[in-house]
Amino acid sequence: MGIKVGIIGCGSITKIRHAPEYSANPYVDEIVFYDRNLDRSEAMAAMFGGTVVQSVDELFADPGIVAISDCSSNEYHHVFSTQALLSGKHVLCEKPISLTIEYAREILDAQKKSGKKLMVDHNQRFTRAHQKAREIIVSGDLGNVLTFRTAFGHSGPEAWGINKTNSTWFFKKERSGFGVGGDLGIHKIDLLHYLLDDEIVQVSAFQGALHKVDENGEPIEVCDNLVCSLATKKGRLGNAAFSWTYYGEEDNSTIVYCEKGIMKIYHNEEYQLEIIMRSGEKINYQLEAIQTNDNQTNSGVIDAFIDSIRLNKEPIVTGEDALKSLKVILGIMEAAETKQVITIEKETLFYK
């Protein structure tokens, strides 16, 4: 028997990722859409096949729905993901898991109480180049990681959002919370934790609303650029840049500098992973192109989520993983605002 899923929020992430990937998954046979704007959910149902509900409570009350994707805007994640878990549904929550540590803990408490799966959509873990890079780092073939740098930038969410205007919720502080930090930055923080098998423990940062304006032509309330320095638990040092003002081409690249050589990820269109050994030897891997706003292929996220339910295994990105990344982004935002070096507090997870 196939799995019936619900989707909360019918914006671009649903249209481009969740709905098509559920449709393509052989174990999913029905999708139910909810959006507070009924026209949007009806458009998704028409495009992908499926049904529409008028209220989010109908999704939670439907005993046939096994899993829910929470694709609402950031400020609602803790509301919808918590309710979905407590109503007995497995949940795939968009990132960031929430806007505060307290709200993230609400979701984690609900997951613990319900016993259902909770996965958070930090999709950079799923690309073949990142998985291969982690494999090489863990193998020790390049020796210890010493330093790293990463970037994630494109021309901004106003071109990606469903309504294609500067009124996008990404530009509103009370809704997006962290601007480019919560949109792009948190992806790379999770990636660094995954790639390096390590945790970021100290940060410093600068931020600015350098170029983006809202629907009234005023500078946006959140940062469109964020640069930071990072120190990890294992003593690695690195830097990261996140931007909504890369006008020309996207950058989604990472370089890891090790004792025996350098690893470049998504620097070269032809070779997604390049190794330059200390001896000068070069090893190139052709794996797959990185997802960009203009090049959307199956991310593997939905398939992994469905497999975690079907095979009863731990999701690839847990709520705890997402909370660690959220804490780092909150630390980076605090560092940028206070112009101080911030130490990320060690999480002691507690459950009610």
Side-chain angles (χ1 to χ4, degrees), residues 140-200:
D141 289 351
L142 290 175
N144 289 325
V145 173
L146 303 172
T147 61
F148 57 88
R149 59 187 167 101
T150 192
F152 196 0
H154 57 49
S155 60
E158 71 274 30
W160 148 267
I162 199 97
N163 61 0
K164 305 282 187 287
T165 76
N166 285 35
S167 65
T168 173
W169 66 265
F170 284 99
F171 289 172
K172 310 296 179 194
K173 189 162 181 64
E174 75 278 5
R175 299 193 66 193
S176 89
F178 321 121
V180 73
D183 182 30
L184 304 184
I186 203 160
H187 270 308
K188 288 299 188 185
I189 298 303
D190 179 75
L191 176 67
L192 290 168
H193 285 165
Y194 168 77
L195 269 188
L196 305 177
D197 189 25
D198 201 351
E199 282 180 46
I200 293 159

Side-chain angles (χ1 to χ4, degrees), residues 74-89:
N74 297 352
E75 81 275 26
Y76 287 116
H77 290 172
H78 73 286
V79 177
F80 293 141
S81 287
T82 298
Q83 288 178 337
L85 287 160
L86 294 178
S87 65
K89 317 300 185 193

Side-chain angles (χ1 to χ4, degrees), residues 223-263:
C223 56
D224 58 22
N225 279 271
L226 183 59
V227 296
C228 40
S229 299
L230 311 167
T232 77
K233 191 174 180 179
K234 294 181 182 175
R236 287 85 171 250
L237 303 176
N239 57 58
F242 313 125
S243 178
W244 279 339
T245 62
Y246 287 3
Y247 302 124
E249 65 175 0
E250 294 191 23
D251 187 357
N252 206 330
S253 62
T254 301
I255 307 182
V256 183
Y257 300 90
C258 305
E259 292 171 314
K260 298 178 184 176
I262 297 169
M263 178 184 291

Side-chain angles (χ1 to χ4, degrees), residues 280-297:
E281 181 193 355
K282 292 186 178 179
I283 307 155
N284 293 326
Y285 294 88
Q286 271 184 317
L287 297 156
E288 97 281 50
I290 186 78
Q291 299 267 346
T292 68
N293 285 352
D294 301 322
N295 172 41
Q296 298 288 338
T297 55

